[in-house]
Amino acid sequence: MQDTSFAIHPGKQKTSNDSTFQDIGSLVEFNQSNYFYSFKTERAHISVLFYRNDIVRVVMNPYNEPELGGSYTLELKPQDVDVKVEEHDEEIFLSTQKMKVEVQKSPLRINVYDAEGQSIVSEGKQGMAFNREGHVICYKEAFANDHYYGFGEKTGFLDKRGEKYTMWNTDVYAPHNPETDPLYESIPFFMTLRDGQTSGIFFDNTFKSTFDMRVDQTDYYSFKAEGGQLDYYICAGPSPKHVMEQYTSLTGRMPLPPKWGLGYHQSRYSYETEEEVRELIKTFSEKDIPVDAIHLDIHYMNGYRVFTFDGSRFPNPEKLISDMKEKGIRIVPIVDPGVKVDAEYPIYQEGVTNDLFCKYIEGNIFFGDVWPGKSAFPDFTKEQARKWWGKKHEFYTDKGIEGIWNDMNEPAVFNETKTMDVEVMHDNDGDPKTHRELHNVYGYLMGEATYEGMKDLLNGKRPFLLTRAGYAGVQKYAAVWTGDNRSFWEHLEMAIPMCLNLGLSGVAYSGPDVGGFAHDSNGELLARWTQFGAFTPFFRNHSAIEFVYQEPWQFGEKYEEVIKKYIQLRYKWLPHLYKLFKDASETGVPVMRPLFMEYPNDEETYQLFDQFLIGSNVMIAPVLRPGVNDRMVYLPEGVWYDYWTGDKLEGGKRIIAHAELDHLPIYVKSGTILPEANVKPSTAHEVDHMTIHIYPDEASTSYDLYDDDGETFNYEQDDYFSLNITVNHEDGNVSVDTTVNNQQYQPKWKDITYVVHGISSDVQLVYNGQKVDFEERNGTLSFNKSW
Ligand code: GLC
């Protein structure tokens, strides 16, 4: 009935229960102990703690002293921050070097200012409140010039002002429309951009929560949860990059993925037999299209039993995997949480015997239907279950598998609610909590179990993990793909702001199903989508059962050629992408960035959703509609180079990019240094020649070229290569200076071709103090050197 007009029957009008919220009232008592400040009001208890001088945590509990432990994601402990406390009649100030927290006494309101005294977060008529159902809410003032970003994986445009979002991990096969919410991930974090300054709020509450950013009529935004404490962190910024660094210091950063995880991945629901997989990789190699991984969807299993192979479809998985590895291609099998109920199936037996499945309080196991039929679900809130599950991956690692794909981990169940009964009582390591409270961390904890298990089993190799569901901090364990999109141009378009906002929510490693999962793709759509996919952090083509196959060659030569060109382009760009991944693993600043991250004072960038930056200085502007060969591109201030022609363009304006089917508009900012590898069939084949493109600026610029073995954690012991390249452009002459900073790891490539763009040939080129002879080609000047 929900699909008809009955859905808006006048008798069904909802009444909001927000009116029943009670304000916490005025301050009654203020105390301070070691590192935290407590405030008792007429109706609540509040703690304020500093985690760094630019991060403050506020916890409000209506009933008891706030509970300060218990986060599932927190990586940081409160620190002994130098805080100046001043108490006045009307308010109390808690000031650090970077932020000032003002606690107004009556009624109690919390306002936060930056070091310059500028307001970053404020309350007014409304502040913190709760209701009889145990819901908690926090209102903050919204301003006309506020823009909101983040919120994890959401449909719609880049700027979330005017939207209302729910956090409740949900399996959504129905088309992802602008109003479709929630999806698979719950990341209760957002950033506010106001007059070029940014700040962040992370609401660490695992209950179903809602962020109401429909601020134009109310002048307030709010976040609320259906239970638990009002527990949130304010990150002071001031720049978007500061906010990312602050937020990821709280929830953790993506570990550096194995290089092969950044290559091109091919998937299908499903490649059903060993022969089909062998045929597939043969085609890739015959057609000279690079590929790093083939994903095996549910048909590889015996009756959809996880940790099995179907003996008739895959008679010798070990051999298949080792043959593929010889060609430099990995297998990534899907692993869902649902364990088939089958008294003769060891995984089910062990789960029951050792009490590892989710149960009701009365002790009976929760059963739900998923692919294998009636299934039980590991209770990942229990350490013993996480360890068991992690260790079970020996089944895969013994066969040479290094990557896993976690799906259906919201958890998805084929029933009305789409998930587990909220009354299930999770063990939670001896502190039992209902599924109503822990639903949003189920997938996250499955990710933890899988990643840690694989890491233990892989003897120093980096695991690759892909997940559909997650919570704030999921980046520590897995890459995120955006679930069941469709082969719609609108979904190609929507994937840009979705991945950008995931990046702004700490998830630097994400990507959509290239070509679209459900519905039938076509050559033009796949070509345009592959152009975009070549620059998404995770790059996988995946399509659903019953729809047309969409491997690169499925739509004829014309499209195949374009698709191949862009998969190859991905491999050329891998050294740069890898460096950006390395940076993201250290700073939390994403690989794929919205323009405002680099130009926070340029209002033109605040809503731009259809173009993005790779790192700080490369603009990608994909074509997003059929039959379109021209598109508008905004170039922020400065000089930009057309990547393909080398033409110089003045920024601070819009241009029209002409882009025939084989053309993806790419622009490189002057002052950029870009490495480019020679293309190999996969990342297992080492790059043996490097090109360094230099786009000189008036100022001096520099780049640290990074490399390591790409598959172990040895880089943590300084086993990496780092080459600094510094370029000076003075009096028309260009000098290039290189310094090897570290060469404990030595890449296979020794020779570098330097290509200088946009400079006339009557200049001098100097390399490490010596004048060099150069070759002039297509408006560039190039010379070769070894490092
Ligand atoms: C879910 C996943 C999809 C997968 C399918 C079968 O729909 O989102 O990627 O192919 O299940 O496992």
Side-chain angles (χ1 to χ4, degrees):
M1 291 287 259
Q2 284 309 313
D3 301 347
T4 69
S5 303
F6 181 76
I8 45 170
H9 191 291
K12 289 186 64 193
Q13 271 180 11
K14 284 184 272 168
T15 45
S16 152
N17 63 2
D18 282 18
S19 56
T20 63
F21 277 101
Q22 282 209 33
D23 191 272
I24 55 170
S26 298
L27 182 70
V28 176
E29 199 180 312
F30 166 56
N31 284 303
Q32 72 184 88
S33 71
N34 268 357
Y35 59 87
F36 75 97
Y37 304 88
S38 47
F39 303 84
K40 195 168 171 327
T41 68
E42 292 162 303
R43 287 179 284 278
H45 306 261
I46 294 134
S47 294
V48 173
L49 299 81
F50 288 89
Y51 277 63
R52 309 188 334 183
N53 58 18
D54 50 4
I55 305 177
V56 67
R57 177 182 180 190
V58 178
V59 195
M60 186 277 283
N61 187 318
Y63 317 102
N64 301 303
E65 283 298 327
E67 162 62 54
L68 299 177
S71 170
Y72 290 86
T73 188
L74 211 66
E75 291 285 299
L76 202 63
K77 296 225 160 26
Q79 287 169 17
D80 196 6
V81 175
D82 198 8
V83 183
K84 191 165 130 219
V85 182
E86 292 164 79
E87 179 158 4
H88 303 277
D89 290 349
E90 307 280 310
E91 68 275 297
I92 297 166
F93 289 108
L94 309 172
S95 317
T96 73
Q97 261 182 356
K98 298 267 176 70
M99 69 202 301
K100 184 172 196 166
V101 177
E102 176 191 26
V103 182
Q104 281 177 14
K105 293 184 178 172
S106 192
L108 190 135
R109 295 287 180 259
I110 293 189
N111 304 315
V112 179
Y113 304 86
D114 67 12
E116 273 74 54
Q118 202 169 317
S119 164
I120 51 179
V121 170
S122 58
E123 297 176 347
K125 287 195 292 286
Q126 311 189 77
M128 296 187 268
F130 60 96
N131 72 11
R132 264 185 295 162
E133 286 80 49
H135 298 194
V136 289
I137 192 163
C138 186
Y139 297 93
K140 301 281 183 205
E141 284 180 315
F143 294 87
N145 42 353
D146 279 3
H147 301 271
Y148 307 111
Y149 309 98
F151 304 99
E153 180 188 62
K154 296 294 176 193
T155 58
F157 293 119
L158 180 68
D159 182 359
K160 301 307 191 186
R161 186 186 173 99
E163 302 291 345
K164 183 179 174 195
Y165 289 119
T166 299
M167 301 294 166
W168 183 254
N169 292 0
T170 308
D171 169 20
V172 189
Y173 179 72
H176 299 173
N177 291 321
E179 61 174 2
T180 308
D181 180 63
L183 294 178
Y184 316 87
E185 296 267 332
S186 292
I187 309 188
F189 169 76
F190 69 98
M191 106 174 25
T192 301
L193 173 63
R194 184 183 297 162
D195 299 328
Q197 304 276 92
T198 31
S199 60
I201 290 189
F202 168 42
F203 182 27
D204 193 8
N205 182 312
T206 62
F207 282 88
K208 182 184 279 181
S209 59
T210 309
F211 289 75
D212 193 343
M213 315 312 277
R214 297 174 299 173
V215 298
D216 287 342
Q217 290 162 324
T218 58
D219 295 335
Y220 283 87
Y221 64 78
S222 68
F223 43 94
K224 71 172 177 194
E226 294 188 358
Q229 310 184 117
L230 187 70
D231 185 350
Y232 68 98
Y233 299 77
I234 298 171
C235 301
S239 74
K241 289 183 187 172
H242 284 114
V243 174
M244 291 318 303
E245 193 276 328
Q246 289 152 359
Y247 169 68
T248 55
S249 77
L250 288 171
T251 60
R253 302 195 173 114
M254 164 195 71
L256 181 62
K259 262 187 201 169
W260 66 268
L262 307 190
Y264 175 71
H265 290 211
Q266 182 65 52
S267 186
R268 168 83 186 170
Y269 169 27
S270 300
Y271 296 122
E272 294 193 17
T273 62
E274 192 170 317
E275 295 84 76
E276 197 181 356
V277 175
R278 286 185 187 276
E279 195 53 40
L280 181 73
I281 56 176
K282 196 163 138 244
T283 314
F284 271 102
S285 121
E286 280 166 4
K287 292 184 174 288
D288 210 11
I289 301 176
V291 60
D292 259 276
I294 306 294
H295 289 228
L296 292 186
D297 209 322
I298 51 174
H299 287 90
Y300 79 85
M301 294 179 261
N302 171 14
Y304 312 118
R305 289 170 185 81
V306 284
F307 308 105
T308 67
F309 269 96
D310 179 318
S312 58
R313 296 163 186 262
F314 288 86
N316 196 346
E318 284 87 349
K319 179 86 171 67
L320 173 69
I321 291 156
S322 69
D323 288 352
M324 285 179 61
K325 231 182 203 169
E326 251 169 53
K327 296 192 166 70
I329 304 170
R330 261 100 169 170
I331 283 276
V332 178
I334 197 167
V335 179
D336 293 351
V339 172
K340 187 175 176 65
V341 171
D342 167 2
E344 294 179 350
Y345 169 35
I347 304 289
Y348 181 66
Q349 291 169 344
E350 287 174 33
V352 174
T353 317
N354 300 321
D355 191 16
L356 302 169
F357 289 131
C358 295
K359 296 188 306 188
Y360 286 98
I361 191 168
E362 294 80 7
N364 45 325
I365 295 178
F366 166 81
F367 296 114
D369 265 13
V370 262
W371 307 121
K374 188 175 174 187
S375 304
F377 298 80
D379 188 355
F380 294 114
T381 70
K382 188 174 184 173
E383 191 179 1
Q384 197 195 342
R386 288 200 297 276
K387 287 256 149 61
W388 167 68
W389 191 260
K391 199 145 192 318
K392 281 290 138 196
H393 286 76
E394 212 163 11
F395 173 80
Y396 299 110
T397 53
D398 277 356
K399 296 179 176 50
I401 287 171
E402 296 166 37
I404 298 290
W405 166 20
N406 280 170
D407 186 24
M408 305 291 276
N409 50 349
E410 294 70 31
V413 181
F414 300 149
N415 63 19
E416 276 288 297
T417 69
K418 297 177 161 202
T419 194
M420 187 176 283
D421 190 337
V422 290
E423 286 184 4
V424 160
M425 188 62 89
H426 290 286
D427 176 84
N428 197 35
D429 286 332
D431 178 19
K433 288 186 170 162
T434 59
H435 191 67
R436 193 171 81 85
E437 179 166 357
L438 299 189
H439 172 79
N440 282 340
V441 283
Y442 188 84
Y444 168 91
L445 293 172
M446 181 182 186
E448 178 184 336
T450 308
Y451 182 82
E452 298 297 349
M454 290 290 286
K455 194 171 172 185
D456 281 350
L457 290 162
L458 283 175
N459 296 323
K461 282 196 175 170
R462 296 173 223 168
F464 166 81
L465 178 61
L466 181 65
T467 186
R468 195 169 73 172
Y471 180 70
V474 62
Q475 65 270 10
K476 292 180 289 242
Y477 309 119
V480 170
W481 101 98
T482 57
D484 297 347
N485 63 2
R486 299 202 170 199
S487 302
F488 296 165
W489 288 91
E490 291 83 350
H491 281 192
L492 163 59
E493 178 183 89
M494 193 169 66
I496 303 178
M498 198 181 272
C499 290
L500 289 174
N501 277 310
L502 270 165
L504 294 171
S505 310
V507 183
Y509 196 9
S510 76
D513 282 343
V514 169
F517 174 66
H519 199 63
D520 295 310
S521 202
N522 60 68
E524 188 183 359
L525 179 60
L526 184 62
R528 290 303 194 189
W529 209 319
T530 308
Q531 291 173 349
F532 165 55
F535 289 94
T536 52
F538 179 58
F539 184 21
R540 182 185 74 160
N541 171 321
H542 181 47
S543 61
I545 196 164
E546 288 179 9
F547 296 100
V548 298
Y549 278 76
Q550 61 185 38
E551 290 71 22
W553 48 85
Q554 295 291 359
F555 302 102
E557 270 175 37
K558 172 177 157 196
Y559 298 109
E560 180 185 325
E561 212 178 291
V562 177
I563 293 163
K564 174 174 169 179
K565 172 175 165 185
Y566 284 89
I567 296 176
Q568 290 183 334
L569 191 70
R570 169 73 167 207
Y571 283 77
K572 285 190 184 172
W573 280 70
L574 274 181
H576 185 52
L577 291 170
Y578 195 52
K579 164 73 168 120
L580 291 172
F581 268 84
K582 182 73 172 37
D583 292 347
S585 74
E586 289 164 2
T587 63
V589 177
V591 174
M592 175 182 175
R593 304 177 191 167
L595 275 69
F596 79 80
M597 182 160 262
E598 299 295 330
Y599 303 92
N601 292 307
D602 181 352
E603 285 184 32
E604 295 285 343
T605 65
Y606 294 174
Q607 311 229 355
L608 266 185
F609 65 91
D610 62 350
Q611 55 180 96
F612 58 96
L613 293 166
I614 284 298
S616 58
N617 44 22
V618 175
M619 178 81 70
I620 309 290
V623 171
L624 306 168
R625 284 293 181 269
V628 169
N629 289 328
D630 296 277
R631 65 154 288 171
M632 191 99 87
V633 181
Y634 178 65
L635 297 176
E637 47 82 19
V639 174
W640 296 80
Y641 287 80
D642 181 314
Y643 173 72
W644 302 102
T645 62
D647 292 347
K648 275 195 215 180
L649 301 156
E650 194 56 52
K653 61 174 184 231
R654 292 187 161 67
I655 58 160
I656 292 181
H658 183 63
E660 300 283 333
L661 186 69
D662 70 343
H663 189 92
L664 167 71
I666 304 177
Y667 303 91
V668 182
K669 186 96 190 255
S670 69
T672 298
I673 298 173
L674 271 182
E676 180 189 296
N678 56 344
V679 176
K680 295 283 171 186
S682 81
T683 59
H685 303 259
E686 278 180 78
V687 168
D688 44 28
H689 187 83
M690 193 61 75
T691 302
I692 302 288
H693 292 276
I694 296 169
Y695 301 87
D697 203 349
E698 288 319 312
S700 141
T701 62
S702 115
Y703 184 80
D704 284 316
L705 179 56
Y706 175 82
D707 203 1
D708 61 26
D709 65 27
E711 58 173 8
T712 72
F713 287 96
N714 294 353
Y715 68 91
E716 289 175 350
Q717 268 68 56
D718 288 343
D719 193 1
Y720 64 85
F721 175 78
S722 167
L723 177 74
N724 176 270
I725 303 157
T726 298
V727 174
N728 279 294
H729 183 202
E730 265 174 277
D731 308 325
N733 299 326
V734 173
S735 62
V736 179
D737 291 293
T738 62
T739 316
V740 178
N741 289 328
N742 193 26
Q743 51 174 317
Q744 201 164 310
Y745 170 81
Q746 303 227 342
K748 190 167 175 195
W749 52 270
K750 268 264 170 237
D751 299 328
I752 301 180
T753 302
Y754 289 89
V755 181
V756 186
H757 295 256
I759 297 285
S760 65
S761 56
D762 54 5
V763 300
Q764 281 199 359
L765 288 190
V766 177
Y767 176 81
N768 286 346
Q770 304 277 318
K771 184 168 171 293
V772 283
D773 294 333
F774 54 80
E775 221 179 281
E776 196 184 344
R777 213 183 311 133
N778 306 327
T780 65
L781 313 180
S782 65
F783 59 91
N784 295 320
K785 287 286 166 195
S786 302
W787 57 266

